Amino acid sequence: MIELLEEFKRLKVAVAGDLILDKYIWGDVSRISPEAPVPVVRAREKSDKLGGAGNTAQVVRALEASVCLFGRLGTDAGARKFEQLLCENSVELRQLPNHNDLPTTVKTRVIAGGQHVVRIDEEDRTPVKKAQLEKIKAELVEQLSTHDALLISDYGKGVFSPHTLPSWIELAAEADLPVVVDPYTEHFPNYRGATIMTPNEEEFLAGMQVRESQAYDLARLAEEAINRYDLAALLVTRGEKGMTLFDAAGGSRHLETEAREVYDVTGAGDTVAGVVCLGEALGADREQVIKLANVAAGLVVGRMGTASVSASEIKEVLD
């Protein structure tokens, strides 16, 4: 696994997806509001972080690979802050069409006493049109051809739609890149032809249209998904149960969780997808890659807020 981390340094990954500015308000609660039965949070600190595909790109960069981020920002204060954070993390940005000048997606979380009190979302999910993507197709193929893999980070905020996702898979095929998908449940049928998907178990069941009360066989569902969507493999992350890798040959491998103490699962999925994408770019043994992803995710969930871990931190744990 340490050898894998060393190999990551020579890679360049394209991350395409929904760009989200994660804003945090940290404070304390000492009383209930007299106006309504809700806690009054006295703010003591504020912070801004890269969210969505931005955090995925940050994960890849923290593992010392080069990364280029493809996504859509507005022309507002949220966009300026997002670009500043990208610069601070040495992440290159290629903006996708935003013809209606839609606002930058912003999620504001209020954290009090270590507890997530409320989240406020500001967003416009109007999708990028297929015609807009077709206009820059040749340019995208040229840009992607200089990369080693494509990671689709889909949060359902408009960068991808059922009309444009097949185009992204085709673009990667033209550039001869493996495609890793961190999926959005409503778009499962549109990832056909990707190399590997990395949903959590809840997302996977929803994407396969399994109702909450319905009994299911995870291995059978995984085989069905791999065949239906023409995947080489499927990695299902399962929270405290660990993660399970399924492949097109019918094999599977389960790993128990590496988490020591869980504070916040935000960003864990981005971390797993980032490590898996780097592994696919190398053509590395998937079992070794998911072991590494498991260690990295175990470190991330031990931190509050959107987070990434560095290669040196992972090496310290492995040592």
Side-chain angles (χ1 to χ4, degrees):
M1 285 189 278
I2 290 175
E3 289 174 1
L4 270 179
L5 284 169
E6 289 298 319
E7 287 289 296
F8 288 169
K9 294 178 182 180
R10 63 181 177 86
L11 298 174
K12 184 173 184 181
V13 168
V15 176
D18 299 293
L19 309 185
I20 301 170
L21 179 65
D22 281 345
K23 299 179 76 68
Y24 289 86
I25 299 173
W26 309 84
D28 301 294
V29 174
S30 59
R31 63 192 180 98
I32 300 300
S33 171
E35 301 165 355
V38 296
V40 175
V41 179
R42 183 181 293 276
R44 53 179 170 76
E45 184 183 346
K46 295 181 180 180
S47 61
D48 298 317
K49 298 184 180 184
L50 294 170
N55 187 55
T56 306
Q58 182 177 238
V59 164
V60 173
R61 188 70 193 97
L63 294 171
E64 301 182 23
S66 298
V67 61
C68 184
L69 181 60
F70 295 77
R72 179 176 69 180
L73 290 173
T75 55
D76 47 23
R80 291 189 291 275
K81 185 62 184 180
F82 195 94
E83 289 176 318
Q84 178 191 330
L85 292 170
L86 288 179
C87 185
E88 291 172 2
N89 286 276
S90 302
V91 174
E92 183 183 354
L93 174 66
R94 302 283 172 83
Q95 285 234 42
L96 296 175
N98 187 0
H99 291 244
N100 298 320
D101 193 23
L102 301 176
T104 302
T105 299
V106 179
K107 293 182 180 179
T108 303
R109 296 174 176 87
V110 179
I111 312 291
Q115 298 296 316
H116 190 157
V117 178
V118 68
R119 191 180 89 185
I120 303 163
D121 289 4
E122 302 167 71
E123 61 186 26
D124 187 322
R125 299 189 181 195
T126 303
V128 173
K129 291 182 171 57
K130 186 175 182 179
Q132 296 171 343
L133 200 60
E134 288 295 322
K135 285 182 180 179
I136 60 171
K137 183 176 180 180
E139 182 184 346
L140 284 173
V141 171
E142 183 180 353
Q143 291 170 347
L144 289 174
S145 66
T146 64
H147 296 72
D148 298 296
L150 171 64
L151 200 170
I152 291 177
S153 182
D154 191 356
Y155 279 76
K157 305 300 183 186
V159 166
F160 302 115
S161 71
H163 304 292
T164 59
L165 274 165
S167 297
W168 279 100
I169 305 292
E170 290 167 12
L171 286 169
E174 287 188 42
D176 194 27
L177 302 181
V179 181
V180 175
V181 178
D182 190 0
Y184 179 61
T185 56
E186 294 179 18
H187 293 163
F188 265 49
N190 311 113
Y191 301 127
R192 181 175 176 78
T195 309
I196 182 170
M197 287 203 301
T198 63
N200 63 43
E201 190 165 6
E202 184 179 345
E203 290 169 337
F204 179 57
L205 296 178
M208 296 299 289
Q209 298 183 324
V210 176
R211 296 186 300 274
E212 286 186 19
S213 59
Q214 187 176 343
Y216 64 91
D217 181 324
L218 187 63
R220 185 191 61 77
L221 275 176
E223 181 182 6
E224 181 183 336
I226 288 171
N227 292 332
R228 184 188 298 176
Y229 305 130
D230 191 23
L231 306 172
L234 172 73
L235 176 63
V236 181
T237 58
R238 307 174 66 190
E240 69 277 2
K241 298 177 185 176
M243 56 180 69
T244 309
L245 176 71
F246 303 92
D247 62 45
S252 66
R253 175 74 165 90
H254 180 74
L255 293 180
E256 297 298 330
T257 184
E258 282 285 344
R260 285 117 178 115
E261 190 169 2
V262 176
Y263 286 96
D264 190 352
V265 298
T266 306
D270 298 335
T271 299
V272 170
V275 173
V276 168
C277 187
L278 289 166
E280 291 297 320
L282 286 173
D285 177 73
R286 289 195 179 107
E287 186 172 328
Q288 288 300 314
V289 172
I290 66 166
K291 285 180 181 178
L292 185 59
N294 202 24
V295 172
L299 289 171
V300 167
V301 297
R303 300 173 180 183
M304 182 64 73
T306 310
S308 60
V309 292
S310 68
S312 60
E313 289 174 304
I314 296 173
K315 286 178 186 176
E316 186 177 336
V317 171
L318 294 176
D319 285 339

